[in-house]
Amino acid sequence: MSKELSRESKLASRHKALGSGLEDWNGMGTAWSYDSNADDEHNAVREGVGMFDMSPLKKVHIRGADSAAVVDHLITRKMEKIYTGKSAYGAVLNEDGGVCDDAIIANNGDEYLLVHGTGESMEMLQDSARGKNVDIEFDDDMHDISVQGPKSVALLNVHTPIDLPSLEYFHQQKTEIFGHSCTISRTGYTGERGYEIFVGADNICDVWDNLVGEGVVPCSFDSLDKVRVEAALLFFGYDMTADHSPWEVGLGWSVCRTKGDFRGKEAVFAREGRERFVMAGLVADLGEGLAGGETLSIDDQAVGVVNSPVWSERLQKSIALVHIQKEFSKPGIKVFVSGDGVECAGEISAVPFYDPSKSNTHA
């Protein structure tokens, strides 16, 4: 693995054996691709069960008398409603009301666990904790395997003592898997029913190997991109940045109007109704995925930009998440897509592209 990477997954040898070059994401070697076909991995998640090494996500423990107040100030959700055993997804804002990260915060009773990607959650957490009675611990020993697909619950339930089918969406429980201590969370990034398994570094390889032995398909980030775009799940740095308000990127639902003070509160509500664009879907008239960054135009007027494009073999469509001026965001509106070496027609689409009722994740 290249020397500049500051973090290492204990599963690196498994990824290399599957053909991964361990590309950098969030400072850790990540399986962006395997020798296997990403479309086959995609099918495994949609039809059976696949798994992703999500250990590059950063895990942070928050403990102490003021921990509830600190996490409530950090995120846009009303954390007092997030009881022990439950977690919440939301935006982390800067003082300008921009989305500087997105994160999940789990209430584990004796602590909160913050899970985030490449944004500024840690910096904002430390700022929110200033002067408070709270202890913050970054934990790179904790690894995270995301096991996703309609058959995931039946497969995992055999190997854990808890009643996994009864674990509700966005709830988590400390337990064991294949005899190893872990936390199982009913969360994921695929638009399917699935679970994230948080396990210590010493045991993660055994858990992975046992899952492979049960027929679970290892999946790369190339396939993860396909499933998450189909499900219209955002990726920080592509679909949202610190320059964007929650209202512009489809995260307005996560901003609680009834909670007390939180970071960026005054600024974010001042930006409501002043959106420069909104998030929408695009279906391009193209037999492959776009590259990203293409301009959307109507009558030679630029009205939007492509953020996250993929070719969906399952849908037989070139789809993308885009930012587009609100007046042109209605599904069915025709646009012209242009970029480096690409010119094609396109049509604005409602999102999610897949399972719009979200019946799979919430089953």
Side-chain angles (χ1 to χ4, degrees):
M1 202 158 41
S2 57
K3 292 181 180 179
E4 65 269 17
L5 295 178
S6 58
R7 308 168 62 215
E8 180 179 4
S9 170
K10 294 298 181 183
L11 291 168
S13 62
R14 272 59 174 180
H15 300 318
K16 287 180 180 179
L18 292 166
S20 171
L22 293 176
E23 295 80 7
D24 179 21
W25 183 65
N26 217 11
M28 183 178 283
T30 302
W32 282 103
S33 64
Y34 290 137
D35 289 339
S36 51
N37 188 314
D39 290 328
D40 293 337
E41 299 165 16
H42 184 177
N43 288 335
V45 172
R46 290 285 181 248
E47 298 172 6
V49 56
M51 63 179 173
F52 305 87
D53 178 12
M54 300 304 298
S55 302
L57 292 169
K58 294 181 177 179
K59 280 74 68 177
V60 184
H61 303 279
I62 305 146
R63 308 181 181 97
D66 293 332
S67 57
V70 169
V71 297
D72 191 59
H73 184 263
L74 174 69
I75 202 164
T76 54
R77 300 294 298 278
K78 193 169 187 174
M79 289 303 297
E80 68 181 48
K81 290 186 175 182
I82 307 304
Y83 48 80
T84 297
K86 185 173 172 60
S87 58
Y89 168 83
V92 176
L93 305 181
N94 57 27
E95 296 298 343
D96 297 323
V99 181
C100 63
D101 208 355
D102 63 336
I104 290 177
I105 300 179
N107 183 345
N108 290 330
D110 56 345
E111 66 166 24
Y112 290 90
L113 178 67
L114 167 71
V115 181
H116 73 100
T118 60
E120 299 178 71
S121 284
M122 186 59 153
E123 293 86 345
M124 297 302 164
L125 172 62
Q126 290 170 330
D127 190 65
S128 292
R130 189 171 291 117
K132 303 292 186 181
N133 181 2
V134 67
D135 177 68
I136 296 170
E137 178 193 358
F138 172 66
D139 186 355
D140 228 11
D141 182 79
M142 181 182 285
H143 282 51
D144 175 11
I145 297 175
S146 185
V147 182
Q148 303 286 308
K151 297 182 180 179
S152 59
V153 60
L155 185 146
L156 293 174
N157 191 49
V158 176
H159 301 289
T160 181
I162 65 171
D163 178 20
L164 195 60
S166 69
L167 188 66
E168 297 180 10
Y169 190 47
F170 267 82
H171 286 67
Q172 70 281 346
Q173 188 169 339
K174 292 181 180 179
T175 182
E176 293 183 351
I177 190 79
F178 299 109
H180 301 299
S181 296
C182 70
T183 295
I184 298 181
S185 171
R186 190 176 161 186
T187 46
Y189 192 50
T190 63
E192 294 292 344
R193 182 166 185 158
Y195 302 85
E196 291 184 271
I197 305 173
F198 295 89
V199 188
D202 289 346
N203 297 318
I204 193 68
C205 290
D206 189 61
V207 173
W208 177 277
D209 293 344
N210 273 287
L211 289 169
V212 169
E214 291 287 336
V216 179
V217 176
C219 297
S220 65
F221 271 41
D222 280 347
S223 61
L224 183 64
D225 228 18
K226 292 174 183 289
V227 292
R228 70 97 183 170
V229 170
E230 285 182 347
L233 299 173
L234 308 183
F235 191 2
F236 183 80
Y238 292 84
D239 307 297
M240 53 184 163
T241 72
D243 184 51
H244 303 149
S245 77
W247 322 111
E248 292 172 328
V249 299
L251 289 179
W253 65 268
S254 76
V255 182
C256 180
R257 298 180 183 278
T258 61
K259 66 184 287 186
D261 188 35
F262 61 93
R263 182 179 307 284
K265 179 179 180 179
E266 183 176 346
V268 76
F269 286 119
R271 293 175 70 167
E272 187 177 13
R274 297 167 52 197
E275 296 83 19
R276 298 161 295 176
F277 49 79
V278 294
M279 195 269 283
L282 171 76
V283 177
D285 186 13
L286 196 67
E288 60 184 1
L290 294 163
E294 291 85 358
T295 297
L296 307 181
S297 58
I298 297 176
D299 296 330
D300 296 324
Q301 174 192 353
V303 298
V305 64
V306 174
N307 299 317
S308 291
V310 296
W311 169 256
S312 172
E313 184 70 19
R314 290 185 66 84
L315 299 180
Q316 283 293 294
K317 292 178 180 178
S318 180
I319 60 175
L321 302 181
V322 304
H323 289 160
I324 190 165
Q325 293 175 24
K326 190 172 184 178
E327 59 267 36
F328 303 114
S329 64
K330 185 177 179 180
I333 287 181
K334 307 295 184 183
V335 295
F336 184 71
V337 185
S338 59
D340 188 12
V342 174
E343 291 187 345
C344 68
E347 182 176 305
I348 300 304
S349 169
V351 289
F353 299 96
Y354 172 78
D355 189 26
S357 68
K358 299 186 179 181
S359 59
N360 294 344
T361 52
H362 293 72

PDB file of all heavy atoms in Angstrom, residues 35 61 69 94 112 140 165-166 171 190 218 222 229 238 276 278 289 299 321 341 355:
ATOM      1  N   ASP A  35     -11.219  -7.966  -9.385  1.00  0.00           N
ATOM      2  CA  ASP A  35     -11.160  -8.647 -10.678  1.00  0.00           C
ATOM      3  C   ASP A  35     -12.552  -9.092 -11.127  1.00  0.00           C
ATOM      4  O   ASP A  35     -12.784  -9.330 -12.309  1.00  0.00           O
ATOM      5  CB  ASP A  35     -10.230  -9.870 -10.600  1.00  0.00           C
ATOM      6  CG  ASP A  35      -8.764  -9.475 -10.493  1.00  0.00           C
ATOM      7  OD1 ASP A  35      -8.429  -8.332 -10.875  1.00  0.00           O
ATOM      8  OD2 ASP A  35      -7.962 -10.303 -10.029  1.00  0.00           O
ATOM      9  N   HIS A  61     -15.812   7.799  19.391  1.00  0.00           N
ATOM     10  CA  HIS A  61     -16.592   7.631  20.613  1.00  0.00           C
ATOM     11  C   HIS A  61     -16.705   8.977  21.332  1.00  0.00           C
ATOM     12  O   HIS A  61     -15.717   9.702  21.463  1.00  0.00           O
ATOM     13  CB  HIS A  61     -15.918   6.622  21.543  1.00  0.00           C
ATOM     14  CG  HIS A  61     -15.692   5.277  20.924  1.00  0.00           C
ATOM     15  ND1 HIS A  61     -16.676   4.316  20.836  1.00  0.00           N
ATOM     16  CD2 HIS A  61     -14.577   4.733  20.343  1.00  0.00           C
ATOM     17  CE1 HIS A  61     -16.186   3.240  20.237  1.00  0.00           C
ATOM     18  NE2 HIS A  61     -14.919   3.471  19.926  1.00  0.00           N
ATOM     19  N   ALA A  69     -25.471  16.818  24.949  1.00  0.00           N
ATOM     20  CA  ALA A  69     -25.546  18.207  24.501  1.00  0.00           C
ATOM     21  C   ALA A  69     -24.586  18.468  23.347  1.00  0.00           C
ATOM     22  O   ALA A  69     -24.903  19.216  22.410  1.00  0.00           O
ATOM     23  CB  ALA A  69     -25.240  19.147  25.670  1.00  0.00           C
ATOM     24  N   ASN A  94     -21.432  23.959   8.852  1.00  0.00           N
ATOM     25  CA  ASN A  94     -20.487  24.973   9.312  1.00  0.00           C
ATOM     26  C   ASN A  94     -21.275  26.206   9.752  1.00  0.00           C
ATOM     27  O   ASN A  94     -22.510  26.229   9.712  1.00  0.00           O
ATOM     28  CB  ASN A  94     -19.448  25.293   8.231  1.00  0.00           C
ATOM     29  CG  ASN A  94     -20.087  25.746   6.922  1.00  0.00           C
ATOM     30  OD1 ASN A  94     -21.193  26.299   6.906  1.00  0.00           O
ATOM     31  ND2 ASN A  94     -19.394  25.517   5.808  1.00  0.00           N
ATOM     32  N   TYR A 112     -21.962   7.844  22.793  1.00  0.00           N
ATOM     33  CA  TYR A 112     -22.423   8.019  21.423  1.00  0.00           C
ATOM     34  C   TYR A 112     -21.289   7.607  20.488  1.00  0.00           C
ATOM     35  O   TYR A 112     -20.110   7.805  20.801  1.00  0.00           O
ATOM     36  CB  TYR A 112     -22.803   9.476  21.146  1.00  0.00           C
ATOM     37  CG  TYR A 112     -24.055   9.921  21.860  1.00  0.00           C
ATOM     38  CD1 TYR A 112     -23.990  10.474  23.137  1.00  0.00           C
ATOM     39  CD2 TYR A 112     -25.307   9.772  21.266  1.00  0.00           C
ATOM     40  CE1 TYR A 112     -25.133  10.883  23.801  1.00  0.00           C
ATOM     41  CE2 TYR A 112     -26.460  10.179  21.923  1.00  0.00           C
ATOM     42  CZ  TYR A 112     -26.367  10.728  23.186  1.00  0.00           C
ATOM     43  OH  TYR A 112     -27.514  11.125  23.843  1.00  0.00           O
ATOM     44  N   ASP A 140      -9.542   3.705  15.383  1.00  0.00           N
ATOM     45  CA  ASP A 140      -9.223   3.062  14.107  1.00  0.00           C
ATOM     46  C   ASP A 140      -9.057   1.560  14.255  1.00  0.00           C
ATOM     47  O   ASP A 140      -8.787   0.865  13.276  1.00  0.00           O
ATOM     48  CB  ASP A 140      -7.961   3.675  13.491  1.00  0.00           C
ATOM     49  CG  ASP A 140      -8.156   4.025  12.018  1.00  0.00           C
ATOM     50  OD1 ASP A 140      -9.308   3.987  11.544  1.00  0.00           O
ATOM     51  OD2 ASP A 140      -7.161   4.340  11.343  1.00  0.00           O
ATOM     52  N   PRO A 165     -34.153 -10.364  12.995  1.00  0.00           N
ATOM     53  CA  PRO A 165     -35.307  -9.846  12.258  1.00  0.00           C
ATOM     54  C   PRO A 165     -36.091  -8.775  13.007  1.00  0.00           C
ATOM     55  O   PRO A 165     -36.770  -7.946  12.390  1.00  0.00           O
ATOM     56  CB  PRO A 165     -36.169 -11.094  12.027  1.00  0.00           C
ATOM     57  CG  PRO A 165     -35.191 -12.222  12.019  1.00  0.00           C
ATOM     58  CD  PRO A 165     -34.179 -11.842  13.050  1.00  0.00           C
ATOM     59  N   SER A 166     -35.991  -8.761  14.335  1.00  0.00           N
ATOM     60  CA  SER A 166     -36.742  -7.779  15.119  1.00  0.00           C
ATOM     61  C   SER A 166     -35.997  -6.452  15.269  1.00  0.00           C
ATOM     62  O   SER A 166     -36.575  -5.475  15.770  1.00  0.00           O
ATOM     63  CB  SER A 166     -37.058  -8.332  16.509  1.00  0.00           C
ATOM     64  OG  SER A 166     -35.875  -8.450  17.285  1.00  0.00           O
ATOM     65  N   HIS A 171     -31.524   1.076  14.082  1.00  0.00           N
ATOM     66  CA  HIS A 171     -31.301   0.639  15.450  1.00  0.00           C
ATOM     67  C   HIS A 171     -30.068  -0.264  15.454  1.00  0.00           C
ATOM     68  O   HIS A 171     -29.707  -0.854  14.415  1.00  0.00           O
ATOM     69  CB  HIS A 171     -32.513  -0.125  15.995  1.00  0.00           C
ATOM     70  CG  HIS A 171     -33.665   0.757  16.327  1.00  0.00           C
ATOM     71  ND1 HIS A 171     -34.378   1.440  15.371  1.00  0.00           N
ATOM     72  CD2 HIS A 171     -34.241   1.070  17.519  1.00  0.00           C
ATOM     73  CE1 HIS A 171     -35.337   2.143  15.950  1.00  0.00           C
ATOM     74  NE2 HIS A 171     -35.285   1.929  17.246  1.00  0.00           N
ATOM     75  N   THR A 190     -27.189   1.217   0.367  1.00  0.00           N
ATOM     76  CA  THR A 190     -27.457   0.491  -0.873  1.00  0.00           C
ATOM     77  C   THR A 190     -28.898   0.555  -1.341  1.00  0.00           C
ATOM     78  O   THR A 190     -29.183   0.180  -2.478  1.00  0.00           O
ATOM     79  CB  THR A 190     -27.094  -0.999  -0.704  1.00  0.00           C
ATOM     80  OG1 THR A 190     -27.936  -1.580   0.304  1.00  0.00           O
ATOM     81  CG2 THR A 190     -25.627  -1.175  -0.333  1.00  0.00           C
ATOM     82  N   PRO A 218     -18.078 -10.571  -1.852  1.00  0.00           N
ATOM     83  CA  PRO A 218     -17.348  -9.324  -1.628  1.00  0.00           C
ATOM     84  C   PRO A 218     -17.633  -8.328  -2.749  1.00  0.00           C
ATOM     85  O   PRO A 218     -17.610  -8.687  -3.931  1.00  0.00           O
ATOM     86  CB  PRO A 218     -15.883  -9.761  -1.633  1.00  0.00           C
ATOM     87  CG  PRO A 218     -15.915 -11.229  -1.317  1.00  0.00           C
ATOM     88  CD  PRO A 218     -17.162 -11.733  -1.975  1.00  0.00           C
ATOM     89  N   ASP A 222     -16.913   0.302  -6.742  1.00  0.00           N
ATOM     90  CA  ASP A 222     -17.531   0.505  -8.062  1.00  0.00           C
ATOM     91  C   ASP A 222     -18.986   0.051  -8.052  1.00  0.00           C
ATOM     92  O   ASP A 222     -19.868   0.731  -8.596  1.00  0.00           O
ATOM     93  CB  ASP A 222     -16.759  -0.252  -9.145  1.00  0.00           C
ATOM     94  CG  ASP A 222     -15.512   0.478  -9.602  1.00  0.00           C
ATOM     95  OD1 ASP A 222     -15.374   1.670  -9.276  1.00  0.00           O
ATOM     96  OD2 ASP A 222     -14.678  -0.143 -10.295  1.00  0.00           O
ATOM     97  N   VAL A 229     -26.323   5.292  -6.100  1.00  0.00           N
ATOM     98  CA  VAL A 229     -26.926   6.257  -7.025  1.00  0.00           C
ATOM     99  C   VAL A 229     -28.348   5.831  -7.372  1.00  0.00           C
ATOM    100  O   VAL A 229     -29.267   6.664  -7.413  1.00  0.00           O
ATOM    101  CB  VAL A 229     -26.063   6.430  -8.287  1.00  0.00           C
ATOM    102  CG1 VAL A 229     -26.807   7.251  -9.350  1.00  0.00           C
ATOM    103  CG2 VAL A 229     -24.741   7.116  -7.942  1.00  0.00           C
ATOM    104  N   TYR A 238     -19.138  15.005  -3.668  1.00  0.00           N
ATOM    105  CA  TYR A 238     -19.700  14.911  -5.013  1.00  0.00           C
ATOM    106  C   TYR A 238     -21.102  15.533  -5.061  1.00  0.00           C
ATOM    107  O   TYR A 238     -21.351  16.462  -5.830  1.00  0.00           O
ATOM    108  CB  TYR A 238     -19.757  13.450  -5.474  1.00  0.00           C
ATOM    109  CG  TYR A 238     -18.398  12.847  -5.699  1.00  0.00           C
ATOM    110  CD1 TYR A 238     -17.668  12.302  -4.638  1.00  0.00           C
ATOM    111  CD2 TYR A 238     -17.827  12.824  -6.968  1.00  0.00           C
ATOM    112  CE1 TYR A 238     -16.408  11.754  -4.839  1.00  0.00           C
ATOM    113  CE2 TYR A 238     -16.569  12.268  -7.181  1.00  0.00           C
ATOM    114  CZ  TYR A 238     -15.861  11.746  -6.111  1.00  0.00           C
ATOM    115  OH  TYR A 238     -14.617  11.219  -6.314  1.00  0.00           O
ATOM    116  N   ARG A 276     -29.999  27.921  -4.872  1.00  0.00           N
ATOM    117  CA  ARG A 276     -29.483  28.169  -6.218  1.00  0.00           C
ATOM    118  C   ARG A 276     -29.833  27.026  -7.160  1.00  0.00           C
ATOM    119  O   ARG A 276     -29.850  27.194  -8.373  1.00  0.00           O
ATOM    120  CB  ARG A 276     -27.964  28.339  -6.165  1.00  0.00           C
ATOM    121  CG  ARG A 276     -27.497  29.531  -5.339  1.00  0.00           C
ATOM    122  CD  ARG A 276     -26.040  29.393  -4.951  1.00  0.00           C
ATOM    123  NE  ARG A 276     -25.827  28.247  -4.047  1.00  0.00           N
ATOM    124  CZ  ARG A 276     -24.627  27.864  -3.626  1.00  0.00           C
ATOM    125  NH1 ARG A 276     -23.539  28.509  -4.026  1.00  0.00           N
ATOM    126  NH2 ARG A 276     -24.510  26.826  -2.808  1.00  0.00           N
ATOM    127  N   VAL A 278     -31.513  22.550  -6.907  1.00  0.00           N
ATOM    128  CA  VAL A 278     -31.997  21.444  -6.085  1.00  0.00           C
ATOM    129  C   VAL A 278     -31.410  20.148  -6.633  1.00  0.00           C
ATOM    130  O   VAL A 278     -30.899  20.105  -7.764  1.00  0.00           O
ATOM    131  CB  VAL A 278     -33.534  21.364  -6.062  1.00  0.00           C
ATOM    132  CG1 VAL A 278     -34.125  22.580  -5.369  1.00  0.00           C
ATOM    133  CG2 VAL A 278     -34.103  21.195  -7.460  1.00  0.00           C
ATOM    134  N   GLY A 289     -22.103   5.094 -18.665  1.00  0.00           N
ATOM    135  CA  GLY A 289     -22.200   6.125 -17.650  1.00  0.00           C
ATOM    136  C   GLY A 289     -21.487   7.386 -18.073  1.00  0.00           C
ATOM    137  O   GLY A 289     -20.491   7.356 -18.799  1.00  0.00           O
ATOM    138  N   ASP A 299     -32.158  25.126 -24.229  1.00  0.00           N
ATOM    139  CA  ASP A 299     -32.097  26.260 -25.169  1.00  0.00           C
ATOM    140  C   ASP A 299     -30.794  27.035 -25.011  1.00  0.00           C
ATOM    141  O   ASP A 299     -30.766  28.279 -24.941  1.00  0.00           O
ATOM    142  CB  ASP A 299     -33.291  27.193 -24.969  1.00  0.00           C
ATOM    143  CG  ASP A 299     -34.621  26.521 -25.276  1.00  0.00           C
ATOM    144  OD1 ASP A 299     -34.628  25.613 -26.133  1.00  0.00           O
ATOM    145  OD2 ASP A 299     -35.630  26.881 -24.658  1.00  0.00           O
ATOM    146  N   LEU A 321     -27.124  11.548 -10.376  1.00  0.00           N
ATOM    147  CA  LEU A 321     -27.645  12.560  -9.469  1.00  0.00           C
ATOM    148  C   LEU A 321     -27.093  13.901  -9.926  1.00  0.00           C
ATOM    149  O   LEU A 321     -25.898  14.018 -10.226  1.00  0.00           O
ATOM    150  CB  LEU A 321     -27.228  12.269  -8.030  1.00  0.00           C
ATOM    151  CG  LEU A 321     -27.651  10.903  -7.475  1.00  0.00           C
ATOM    152  CD1 LEU A 321     -27.182  10.753  -6.032  1.00  0.00           C
ATOM    153  CD2 LEU A 321     -29.160  10.708  -7.574  1.00  0.00           C
ATOM    154  N   GLY A 341     -16.119  15.386 -24.546  1.00  0.00           N
ATOM    155  CA  GLY A 341     -16.332  14.263 -25.447  1.00  0.00           C
ATOM    156  C   GLY A 341     -17.726  13.686 -25.416  1.00  0.00           C
ATOM    157  O   GLY A 341     -17.967  12.645 -26.036  1.00  0.00           O
ATOM    158  N   ASP A 355     -36.671   1.384  -6.206  1.00  0.00           N
ATOM    159  CA  ASP A 355     -37.489   1.234  -5.005  1.00  0.00           C
ATOM    160  C   ASP A 355     -37.872   2.597  -4.415  1.00  0.00           C
ATOM    161  O   ASP A 355     -37.501   2.934  -3.277  1.00  0.00           O
ATOM    162  CB  ASP A 355     -36.744   0.402  -3.952  1.00  0.00           C
ATOM    163  CG  ASP A 355     -37.624   0.020  -2.767  1.00  0.00           C
ATOM    164  OD1 ASP A 355     -38.848  -0.060  -2.938  1.00  0.00           O
ATOM    165  OD2 ASP A 355     -37.062  -0.184  -1.662  1.00  0.00           O
TER     166      ASP A 355
END
